[in-house]
Amino acid sequence: MNIAKILQSQPDNGLITIKGWVKTRRDSKKISFIEVNDGSCLANLQVIAEDILPNYEEQIQHLSAGCSIKVTGHLTSSPAKGQNVELHATAIKIYGWAPPEDYPLQKKRHSFEFLRTIPHLRPRTNSLGAMTRIRSKLSFAVHHFFNQHDFVQVHTPIITTSDCEGAGEMFTVTALDLTKPETIKEGLFHHDFFGRQAGLTVSGQLEAEAYALALGKVYTFGPTFRAENSNTSRHLAEFWMIEPEMAFCDLTQNITMAEQLLKSLISYVITNCAKDLELFNRFIEKGLSDKLENIIKNDFDRITYSEAITELTKSGRPFNFPVEWGADLQSEHERFLTEEVFNGPLVVTDYPKTIKPFYMRQNDDHKTVAAMDILFPGIGEIVGGSQREERYEQLAVRMDEMKINREDYKWYLDLRRYGSAPHAGFGLGFERLVQFVTGISNIRDVIPFPRTPRSAAGD
Ligand code: 4AD
Ligand code: MG
């Protein structure tokens, strides 16, 4: 039984065994009180060890934070405040010591910045432990949601030759030895493993489209990679994305699906991670619980990009980045709109085609595309999606305009030649969702081993 289950059980004086790591030890006369955590929940189990135990003086009295132990004992009701049960040890075995003189995690609260320097040990802290459990529940909730809505999960490839977002941010995957100068010769990738340049996927969307146009409703949920040189609190070079793709679906239905998904995920966490959320509500973001409840209760506001530009211009705010029709919305603009104008989630639609990828469906004005971004307070863009261009001619011309080689995307164009159909989808950034749900401000603290520019070591 893990500690989460034990803490919910009735003390019956029965003999049980737990295994975990010591959080603290406190001695009082002939007794030691040891707080043990096994990662199954935020709370520790209090272990009472008396000096009659054979290894009391030699070992138990030397236990410190980080030691791993096995305790066998009787579970009894606890007279202490804040806990129902405690474990009266009949035997304690020590698996591993953690010398207090150099164990980096001491009892005090450590900053997220410091913890980032020890990514291999930080999961042992309350905050990273709670974040990791919430992240896991959210991941389960994603599959649960799509399963309930009859979506089929598709494992799209991680190695691909398609640069979905067309931003030139793909990491190249090569088997060539680039440290040898003679390798670098004409037609470099022709000699490479795949016979052409391949890279790590920036999005599973294009491949998901192929499956949506066969199975109707599909989704992919996997790691994506971007060699984007942005050192911000919202960007990672390796992040996870949830991408549903739906045949016979337009932009409005797409938005509705995204809104339903977000509400469902947040409500799943509220129901299933109450104790862990409470930690974040108390120590990381005051008012977090109310913020999450409000997301579930209210409809998301919807405006067009053009209306957003009007709203920003009207505000008279001195933004760092200029506000003009045709320029992309920057984080400061997104946050102003969600945090000050709408005070909640906001769906922005119909962006200029010049700032969006080639696959988005052109609107009748020939200037905008059927795009939608969902902006969240404190986060900015959390979802990016669109209705896809299902018309062969329009797509081919747009690719030409954007200097995308038709030959390279022949398979993608084929989807428009054979049984094409209106379809739409979106991408939800998983880490940004975990940030929103926990209130953790830096994206590096919501993924186990963050990868950012000049930082991939340490695990
Ligand atoms: O807006 P993006 O670039 O959209 C796509 O990739 C589409 N192919 C999705 C689709 O329609 N199927 O990315 C989608 C979301 C963003 O809204 C953001 O939440 C997250 O992915 N995201 C990142 N998260 C962390 N680090 C980065 N560098 C991210 N780039 C995007
Ligand atoms: Mg986007």
Side-chain angles (χ1 to χ4, degrees):
M1 243 199 317
N2 63 30
I3 290 180
K5 295 223 168 77
I6 291 171
L7 290 176
Q8 283 164 11
S9 65
Q10 292 305 320
D12 59 0
N13 218 19
L15 202 62
I16 60 165
T17 297
I18 59 147
K19 295 168 185 176
W21 292 266
V22 172
K23 282 278 180 173
T24 61
R25 194 200 82 237
R26 171 170 70 79
D27 298 331
S28 148
K29 287 187 204 139
K30 296 170 168 193
I31 290 187
S32 290
F33 300 92
I34 309 162
E35 296 278 325
V36 182
N37 189 280
D38 68 357
S40 61
C41 62
L42 191 59
N44 306 320
L45 180 62
Q46 174 156 284
V47 170
I48 317 278
E50 293 183 51
D51 65 354
I52 45 169
L53 292 173
N55 56 347
Y56 185 76
E57 264 164 44
E58 220 173 293
Q59 294 191 312
I60 294 171
Q61 281 207 310
H62 299 280
L63 285 173
S64 58
C67 297
S68 60
I69 60 174
K70 173 167 105 174
V71 184
T72 304
H74 296 281
L75 193 67
T76 61
S77 61
S78 172
K81 240 176 68 188
Q83 60 190 27
N84 286 332
V85 292
E86 57 190 25
L87 186 60
H88 285 256
T90 53
I92 296 182
K93 174 184 154 92
I94 288 94
Y95 289 111
W97 295 98
E101 51 296 353
D102 63 1
Y103 185 58
L105 294 172
Q106 295 309 321
K107 204 186 160 198
K108 64 175 187 155
R109 247 214 282 171
H110 297 288
S111 71
F112 281 115
E113 286 78 10
F114 168 71
L115 294 176
R116 245 171 261 147
T117 65
I118 44 167
H120 56 304
L121 294 176
R122 68 177 183 166
R124 299 182 189 192
T125 62
N126 286 346
S127 52
L128 265 287
M131 181 288 291
T132 308
R133 281 185 296 271
I134 289 177
R135 194 181 155 108
S136 167
K137 289 281 182 206
L138 271 173
S139 170
F140 175 77
V142 167
H143 294 297
H144 185 63
F145 175 89
F146 285 120
N147 193 46
Q148 272 189 325
H149 288 80
D150 300 323
F151 279 68
V152 176
Q153 187 192 3
V154 178
H155 293 126
T156 51
I158 286 175
I159 299 177
T160 176
T161 58
S162 314
D163 181 2
C164 176
E165 298 306 292
E169 289 168 350
M170 257 165 91
F171 286 100
T172 294
V173 171
T174 181
L176 297 171
D177 185 351
L178 299 179
T179 61
K180 296 212 175 90
E182 63 271 24
T183 313
I184 317 293
K185 55 184 175 223
E186 262 308 284
L188 178 70
F189 296 110
H190 184 69
H191 309 283
D192 203 351
F193 190 88
F194 297 107
R196 58 180 291 187
Q197 185 168 10
L200 296 177
T201 187
V202 297
S203 155
Q205 176 199 321
L206 302 187
E207 292 90 353
E209 283 185 53
Y211 274 72
L213 291 171
L215 294 152
K217 296 198 290 186
V218 303
Y219 75 104
T220 173
F221 179 10
T224 49
F225 309 85
R226 296 190 187 180
E228 184 178 15
N229 205 2
S230 14
N231 246 318
T232 78
S233 58
R234 304 177 318 133
H235 288 91
L236 290 167
E238 177 179 305
F239 63 99
W240 287 66
M241 189 160 39
I242 296 142
E243 295 183 277
E245 191 69 35
M246 295 153 285
F248 315 109
C249 175
D250 65 14
L251 188 69
T252 310
Q253 293 164 317
N254 195 30
I255 297 171
T256 304
M257 182 53 73
E259 185 170 340
Q260 267 185 22
L261 171 67
L262 284 163
K263 287 181 170 166
S264 158
L265 297 179
I266 290 171
S267 101
Y268 188 89
V269 170
I270 293 176
T271 312
N272 293 284
C273 306
K275 295 249 162 65
D276 284 327
L277 273 185
E278 187 47 30
L279 172 91
F280 294 108
N281 190 46
R282 280 178 64 194
F283 298 114
I284 305 294
E285 182 180 344
K286 297 261 178 294
L288 177 70
S289 299
D290 294 339
K291 179 187 87 173
L292 297 180
E293 290 289 351
N294 279 331
I295 297 284
I296 300 171
K297 275 194 247 145
N298 302 306
D299 289 342
F300 294 5
D301 283 306
R302 301 181 185 193
I303 59 168
T304 64
Y305 166 89
S306 301
E307 288 163 349
I309 294 295
T310 307
E311 205 56 67
L312 291 165
T313 315
K314 200 170 80 183
S315 77
R317 278 285 173 106
F319 292 111
N320 292 326
F321 289 87
V323 176
E324 55 189 358
W325 201 96
D328 209 353
L329 297 183
Q330 301 295 325
S331 157
E332 55 172 344
H333 307 136
E334 295 174 342
R335 295 191 57 170
F336 174 76
L337 290 169
T338 51
E339 288 161 35
E340 299 190 40
V341 183
F342 289 92
N343 216 343
L346 177 65
V347 188
V348 181
T349 62
D350 304 292
Y351 284 75
K353 66 177 180 185
T354 46
I355 54 171
K356 288 294 182 187
F358 71 97
Y359 55 71
M360 293 194 180
R361 191 180 198 279
Q362 237 182 88
N363 289 329
D364 292 341
D365 62 10
H366 299 296
K367 286 195 291 211
T368 59
V369 284
M372 65 98 166
D373 278 5
I374 302 184
L375 316 179
F376 263 23
I379 300 286
E381 180 191 335
I382 193 160
V383 163
S386 67
Q387 186 171 340
R388 320 306 188 190
E389 184 57 84
E390 85 283 13
R391 300 162 295 186
Y392 184 92
E393 254 326 288
Q394 274 86 342
L395 180 61
V397 168
R398 189 72 194 127
M399 287 171 69
D400 293 347
E401 284 170 5
M402 296 179 81
K403 308 245 172 334
I404 294 167
N405 188 348
R406 289 193 193 192
E407 215 27 57
D408 289 345
Y409 292 84
K410 191 170 168 302
W411 69 273
Y412 188 70
L413 282 161
D414 266 2
L415 300 174
R416 278 71 183 167
R417 290 179 65 203
Y418 311 125
S420 187
H423 62 290
F426 60 87
L428 164 61
F430 190 54
E431 283 72 23
R432 292 194 188 171
L433 176 67
V434 181
Q435 276 191 281
F436 185 76
V437 165
T438 57
I440 292 178
S441 60
N442 196 314
I443 198 163
R444 292 167 178 81
D445 304 324
V446 295
I447 189 165
F449 295 97
R451 272 75 179 99
T452 50
R454 315 206 66 77
S455 163
D459 60 322

